[in-house]
Amino acid sequence: MSPSTEPSLEVRLGSLVFRNPVMVASGTFGYGPEYAELVDLSALGAIVVKGICREPTRGNPPPRTVETPSGLINAIGLPGPGVAGFIRDYLPFLRRVPTPVIVNVWGRTVEEYGEVVESLDREEGVHGYEINVSCPNIKEGSRAFGVHLDMFRRVVERVRAATRRPVIPKLAPNVSDIAAFARAAEECGADAISLINSIPAMAVDIETRRPILGNVTGGLTGPAIHPIAVKLVWEAARAVRIPTIAMGGIRDAADAIEFMIVGATAVAVGTANFVEPRTAVRVVEGIRDYLVRHGMTSVADLTGSLRLEGLPCGG
Amino acid sequence: MSPSTEPSLEVRLGSLVFRNPVMVASGTFGYGPEYAELVDLSALGAIVVKGICREPTRGNPPPRTVETPSGLINAIGLPGPGVAGFIRDYLPFLRRVPTPVIVNVWGRTVEEYGEVVESLDREEGVHGYEINVSCPNIKEGSRAFGVHLDMFRRVVERVRAATRRPVIPKLAPNVSDIAAFARAAEECGADAISLINSIPAMAVDIETRRPILGNVTGGLTGPAIHPIAVKLVWEAARAVRIPTIAMGGIRDAADAIEFMIVGATAVAVGTANFVEPRTAVRVVEGIRDYLVRHGMTSVADLTGSLRLEGLPCGG
Amino acid sequence: MTLEEAIVVEHLPDAGGYWRIELRAPAIAPRVRPGQFVHVRLTAPADAILRRPFSVFRTEDDRLELLYKPVGRGTRAMTELRPGAVISLLGPLGRGFPTPAPDRFPVLVAGGYGMAALYLLGRESGRAGIVFVGGASAVDVLCVPEFEALGWEVRVATEDGSRGLRGQVTDAFDAWAASELSDRTPELFACGPNGMLRAVGERAIARGWTAWLSMDRAMGCGVGACLTCVQKVRDPSHPDGWTWARVCREGPVFECREIVWEDDV
Amino acid sequence: MTLEEAIVVEHLPDAGGYWRIELRAPAIAPRVRPGQFVHVRLTAPADAILRRPFSVFRTEDDRLELLYKPVGRGTRAMTELRPGAVISLLGPLGRGFPTPAPDRFPVLVAGGYGMAALYLLGRESGRAGIVFVGGASAVDVLCVPEFEALGWEVRVATEDGSRGLRGQVTDAFDAWAASELSDRTPELFACGPNGMLRAVGERAIARGWTAWLSMDRAMGCGVGACLTCVQKVRDPSHPDGWTWARVCREGPVFECREIVWEDDV
Ligand SMILES: Cc1cc2nc3c(=O)[nH]c(=O)nc-3n(C[C@H](O)[C@H](O)[C@H](O)COP(=O)(O)OP(=O)(O)OC[C@H]3O[C@@H](n4cnc5c(N)ncnc54)[C@H](O)[C@@H]3O)c2cc1C
Ligand SMILES: Cc1cc2nc3c(=O)[nH]c(=O)nc-3n(C[C@H](O)[C@H](O)[C@H](O)COP(=O)(O)OP(=O)(O)OC[C@H]3O[C@@H](n4cnc5c(N)ncnc54)[C@H](O)[C@@H]3O)c2cc1C
Ligand SMILES: Cc1cc2nc3c(=O)[nH]c(=O)nc-3n(C[C@H](O)[C@H](O)[C@H](O)COP(=O)(O)O)c2cc1C
Ligand SMILES: Cc1cc2nc3c(=O)[nH]c(=O)nc-3n(C[C@H](O)[C@H](O)[C@H](O)COP(=O)(O)O)c2cc1C
Ligand code: FES
Ligand code: FES
């Protein structure tokens, strides 16, 4: 096959090499085994597992999700087996999958973030850490890590000190200056950034006048938020030299390519997994087709290829 | 008719009385005459006209809008006749409509906001001012009025000093602490707050790799953003005692009632006007039906009637 | 668990506002066990983006049949499907009913779409028992001929008394248990509204019987990944004595002693 | 301008990938002037929430007909409409074509759906003139019998030469203007792709003729409120000499001297 018909899909993120730029987003793919019967896990760029913290957690009372126009609000609330449970119950399976595993990590304190990463860092089969500072339900005192620059820095610094594996802070979308958080991540030694997490949202049953979600509020994901995510990824990716992993409402290859054009090095498929479990695999195929059709030899050529000639610089 | 079958829809906002709580949102209903053949303007709670600034402005190059999943991104860019043109071309028409007129005001500097309000304040037929600090394209220096508390205060204070008519700052949605802006508005003497304005967003044509909008970025509106708006309205309304006017993705009475349950005193219909010009009138009817069905005598009983018993306070 | 593009073979309204849809799904149909479900992707309006779960009513070679009631956005859109249409199915999913114990007398209790969830069990149980079915009115009572054709005895209860006993399905069961059960030990299998499931479970616990309940929870992924569909279940290993189970994965069928009903925690 | 629930009377594919849809719209149909359009609400997928504008091709008593090509999300969904379906129309909208001047020879120039936009003008112009119509191939040439039935002469140009002259529609016009116009002064009315409209306008300006161009812009509200559909037009009162006009309100028809083409500002 000539190089023009088989473009390179490989992307690099710090020391890590992914066979393609399409991952599955944390919390939307379980810990791996859940979709193993349906999806060829070795066809994914990486698996990002559901958020892990120090102790086992239960998460929020149901209802935990509600559908909205082209979107889904979730208030799952980060239930999980805790770091020891993850290592015991899921890591053995994941070690057998020939795909990099990124563990999404969260904590209730800066120290907890560090401890979780330290525990995981002793294990084979964990290839990187996505640092979830942007879950609406986690804060230290009243200061949420994801929306206060000083707290954000402290978390990233603590995690950076705990590992030499790639560290990927996941930025909160509900800030007015996402570039500042992107730069802070870079300054604190992050290897990449990822965005966006779900956007704070809420729904009410007007007959009972009660919130629909057991947790009152939740986070909006799915196609509805995609145009917001594209804007934030554009702003964040321009602000830094480290790679950006983009997510938010990807349904098909076009949505993923859009993210890469505005600056993403890789992407992650989230809510769409629930609807079409093979979305990520199809996105890989669609990106390959696009590259061939546009005569591009490497997916890296897509990243940041936005053409702005003759346009106001926007923003 | 017994009071239980004809509930009161009247709402008050400072010194102003609206026959019902359903307005049309700025920029989605022109200056009034555009929809006059289709919509009974006297059935609306209020008309909020398109943003007005000191001089005539042209706005952005086309394409100015693009559809997204359950949403619309616009980058109209605040074209308008300027304050003198508005007074000359539209106010005579609006004075004949038996419905309060709220003028949406914007400026490039704090001083400009004040001057526009002063000019309008000399005119009969203007009943209040919605202060648009949240348009992504207006900023003083690099500091956008809507996302910096100090700038926001200065604008509200300047406008407050210019008029005794109701002043309604319109909050930007892309902040991490909307309550702080709501409180600042109240402290600076605002009579009400309104939210949400469109959410910064972007779309790219993947074939040309160019932004679809002539202005590169724009603001997302429509049903897609409704759950985000509900959350922000809930947070903002709880933080203040002045009334809240809620908007964002209202399609029907249920969406409007949801806003009122979480704390809004009034609502505004935006993007839906383009799809169904009579949405606002239908929302009024739907609210009336709901009140009758629930045995409520006044629409005021809806405001803030969210029931949280047994639930975490969320947030 | 397979993802399959199924083809609509037949689609007709049934009694009580229910519809029957027959689908050709050669990869999924032969593998469905009683009480399992399929997760269906509908071309629904914009505000219903997820799949919808349905128990498999019947299977026959490469076909499977669902029995459903249009109650909301997704199921109303579903009624528009015409023969020949293609829809994506994910299945078979969940842990269904166990094989009825040979030393027990099988008793099925159904409300709403419960008859759909129980039919395969009735067919594959090896021997016939008795089915109790409830509904608001005579038209809401589904599948009686199907169960009779399998040789099961069917007892009906309707709230308005238009068919069978007037009352709840559990009233019909109680009457039977009091006078006709004699020295047999029943094994209960139930699907229907929460209140009914709980009532069935209470009887089983009080009398020391086993009762298998098929729980209904709104679902996201259907495969255990999203953690939407959780149900409180007893967990002695946990300090508080309970944990969340995923109805799509650990369920939908639970033995009644596993369930922690929401307002008794 | 009225909002009306119209009923689909007939809906059939036409040549060249176009479809014809006939709607019963008693409030709107009788009031449509040549060159005006209706704004149609489609039950489109979630990512096409706005109405779509279409020129009114024909009216007859309480009915109106549209001629459209499925090109995207909204128009593809439109092809699914069956007779009896109800769709919401907003119309008639826009400033259509003026009545042809009595002392000029009417010349219509059409590409794409242009024939649809021009037919009413042909019918109501009072007297017949000549129509130039272009397309990629013979199948893309629509409505020729309709214009001939009105007594208009029709000249066809196709890019592949499969019907009429090989070339652009303006080539056919040029040939005619050079040899057959003689001392008549034409008044031009055009609807079609931008390039064609611009070419028609340039000829008119060079020769001192009047040319009315129907512009196509993606629309939001259709009534002048949203300011989506803007087109640069000359405005001597403005220091820069131009302003934005709303195609839905000040247009869709503009005299060619009003238009400022995008790359010559
Ligand atoms: C394991 C399982 C098996 C099922 N089998 C069947 C079956 O065989 N036949 C059948 O008709 N239905 C069955 N259901 C229920 C079916 O999934 C729901 O009726 C369907 O999801 C509703 O979708 P909708 O879009 O029409 O309703 P929505 O628009 O989502 O909701 C409409 C109304 O129905 C309520 N609702 C939504 N989902 C559920 C639910 N899961 N249970 C109860 N109320 C709900 C909502 O609260 C709302 O009031 C089953 C559910 C589960 C979990
Ligand atoms: C005044 C007016 C009259 C019109 N009359 C007719 C008519 O009689 N018959 C007819 O077939 N069409 C007509 N059109 C064009 C028609 O409105 C578009 O084809 C339609 O809106 C496309 O909608 P869609 O959802 O299918 O396409 P989309 O999914 O919105 O877009 C699909 C593709 O078409 C392009 N597109 C979208 N809108 C337009 C547009 N307005 N013009 C050109 N390309 C567009 C997009 O850029 C995209 O590439 C008219 C347009 C205007 C403004
Ligand atoms: C049900 C659900 C659970 C999620 N759990 C997590 C999580 O544990 N940690 C995290 O960082 N993000 C979590 N997310 C956010 C996703 O990883 C992703 O950022 C978001 O869904 C946006 O992508 P999407 O629109 O494609 O879904 C979750 C999202 C959903 C829908
Ligand atoms: C085309 C368009 C133009 C708008 N112009 C203005 C404006 O001039 N001033 C302003 O404050 N808001 C403007 N808005 C925002 C709306 O007033 C409203 O806040 C927003 O659309 C959210 O409501 P919706 O989702 O119902 O449309 C505009 C919105 C749209 C869609
Ligand atoms: S539906 Fe996703 S875990 Fe059960
Ligand atoms: S389409 Fe809204 S102004 Fe023309």
Side-chain angles (χ1 to χ4, degrees), chain C residues 6-13 19-23 40-44 54 66 68 74-89, chain D residues 82:
Chain C
I7 295 165
V8 179
V9 178
E10 204 172 74
H11 193 188
L12 294 167
W19 287 64
R20 284 185 192 218
I21 189 165
E22 189 181 326
L23 300 162
V40 182
R41 178 157 190 201
L42 300 168
T43 46
F54 298 95
L66 311 178
Y68 74 95
T75 45
R76 273 197 294 267
M78 194 162 165
T79 61
E80 311 261 301
L81 287 170
R82 280 161 233 265
V86 175
I87 60 173
S88 168
L89 294 189
Chain D
R82 280 162 233 263

Side-chain angles (χ1 to χ4, degrees), chain D residues 181-246:
Chain D
L181 177 61
S182 71
D183 59 356
R184 291 174 295 187
T185 307
E187 183 176 23
L188 303 175
F189 301 87
C191 182
N194 263 345
M196 185 204 97
L197 295 181
R198 187 169 183 170
V200 169
E202 279 164 359
R203 283 159 178 73
I205 291 168
R207 307 280 301 262
W209 304 327
T210 300
W212 302 97
L213 313 178
S214 179
M215 306 296 293
D216 179 342
R217 281 270 175 196
M219 288 186 179
C221 65
V223 303
C226 73
L227 310 178
T228 287
C229 62
V230 292
Q231 164 66 48
K232 261 186 198 167
V233 296
R234 277 183 220 291
D235 178 0
S237 78
H238 196 285
D240 296 345
W242 66 268
T243 190
W244 297 113
R246 297 166 299 181

Side-chain angles (χ1 to χ4, degrees), chain D residues 9 22 32 39 42-43 59 63 70 77 98 137 165 226:
Chain D
V9 178
E22 189 181 324
V32 178
H39 214 27
L42 300 169
T43 45
T59 59
R63 279 157 298 134
S137 194
L165 192 85
C226 73

Side-chain angles (χ1 to χ4, degrees), chain D residues 41-63:
Chain D
R41 179 159 189 198
L42 300 169
T43 45
D47 48 0
I49 63 170
L50 297 173
R51 289 173 180 258
R52 295 292 188 261
F54 297 95
S55 303
V56 176
F57 165 38
R58 283 210 291 211
T59 59
E60 192 75 51
D61 304 328
D62 63 348
R63 279 157 298 134

Side-chain angles (χ1 to χ4, degrees), chain A residues 58 64-65 67 70 275-276, chain C residues 41 46 49-51 227 242:
Chain A
R58 270 173 174 162
R64 285 178 166 187
T65 56
E67 291 165 283
S70 298
V275 187
E276 284 300 339
Chain C
R41 178 157 190 201
I49 63 170
L50 297 173
R51 288 171 181 259
L227 310 179
W242 66 268

Side-chain angles (χ1 to χ4, degrees), chain A residues 87-307:
Chain A
I87 291 169
R88 181 187 66 233
D89 298 341
Y90 297 107
L91 206 48
F93 171 89
L94 288 167
R95 284 197 189 105
R96 291 194 302 272
V97 178
T99 297
V101 171
I102 294 173
V103 179
N104 182 279
V105 168
W106 66 278
R108 289 193 189 78
T109 61
V110 172
E111 188 46 31
E112 245 182 79
Y113 277 95
E115 287 174 23
V116 174
V117 170
E118 275 156 7
S119 302
L120 290 166
D121 222 48
R122 289 189 283 270
E123 302 296 326
E124 291 293 310
V126 173
H127 300 89
Y129 306 100
E130 184 178 51
I131 309 305
N132 179 6
V133 288
S134 41
C135 178
N137 302 313
I138 50 177
K139 39 184 88 161
E140 191 162 296
S142 66
R143 295 168 73 69
F145 298 120
V147 300
H148 291 102
L149 260 179
D150 52 335
M151 301 291 288
F152 176 77
R153 279 178 191 281
R154 285 176 50 207
V155 172
V156 180
E157 279 163 1
R158 177 67 184 84
V159 170
R160 177 71 290 167
T163 182
R164 300 179 64 171
R165 292 179 182 156
V167 169
I168 311 165
K170 185 166 181 177
L171 309 187
N174 51 324
V175 297
S176 44
D177 186 7
I178 195 92
F181 287 83
R183 278 190 299 263
E186 184 169 49
E187 284 159 19
C188 296
D191 299 276
I193 51 172
S194 70
L195 69 161
I196 65 174
N197 210 320
S198 59
I199 303 179
M202 180 175 183
V204 174
D205 179 332
I206 66 162
E207 295 305 320
T208 62
R209 293 202 280 279
R210 291 173 66 85
I212 294 180
L213 294 169
N215 186 52
V216 182
T217 64
L220 185 66
T221 64
I225 68 168
H226 181 67
I228 301 173
V230 171
K231 165 70 159 51
L232 289 167
V233 167
W234 184 55
E235 273 180 15
R238 284 196 304 171
V240 292
R241 270 175 303 182
I242 52 176
T244 297
I245 305 171
M247 61 209 82
I250 295 179
R251 291 170 299 181
D252 55 27
D255 295 330
I257 291 166
E258 196 178 2
F259 273 136
M260 301 192 71
I261 291 172
V262 301
T265 295
V267 298
V269 173
T271 305
N273 292 316
F274 304 153
V275 187
E276 284 300 339
R278 290 186 193 137
T279 302
V281 178
R282 285 196 198 150
V283 168
V284 175
E285 287 159 10
I287 292 175
R288 183 181 291 119
D289 292 349
Y290 179 94
L291 294 174
V292 171
R293 195 151 43 79
H294 286 257
M296 294 172 128
T297 52
S298 163
V299 72
D301 299 342
L302 261 182
T303 297
S305 63
L306 185 69
R307 297 176 48 218

